[in-house]
Amino acid sequence: MKRHRFEPARLIAGLTALTLGTGYGLDALGLWQAPGLWLFLALPAGLLLSGVTAAVWAAIRRHRAPDTDAPPLTHS
């Protein structure tokens, strides 16, 4: 199986979607009385956090990546 890069922004977005789905599901079943404003604001908050995480992760990868445009070093 091909290995994929770890992307923390996708992890946060997925956890946000799972949390919202679980909240709405439990509310629909009558097992939990979800505050409407909480569920309504959780989606934009999770997406904002995911976006900030993606920007920080991209900056970290850019600074860690080796310079591919430089010529290879030769030993004399």
Side-chain angles (χ1 to χ4, degrees):
M1 178 194 307
K2 183 179 175 185
R3 294 184 58 97
H4 298 278
R5 281 191 308 204
F6 174 66
E7 296 186 24
R10 286 187 179 192
L11 176 66
I12 292 172
L15 289 175
T16 300
L18 282 173
T19 302
L20 287 173
T22 302
Y24 277 117
L26 290 175
D27 191 29
L29 291 172
L31 299 173
W32 181 55
Q33 195 64 20
L37 187 60
W38 179 85
L39 288 176
F40 181 72
L41 294 178
L43 180 63
L47 292 177
L48 178 68
L49 181 61
S50 179
V52 169
T53 304
V56 169
W57 190 252
I60 289 171
R61 271 190 295 146
R62 191 173 323 129
H63 288 291
R64 282 182 153 184
D67 189 15
T68 57
D69 295 334
L73 296 174
T74 57
H75 297 291
S76 306

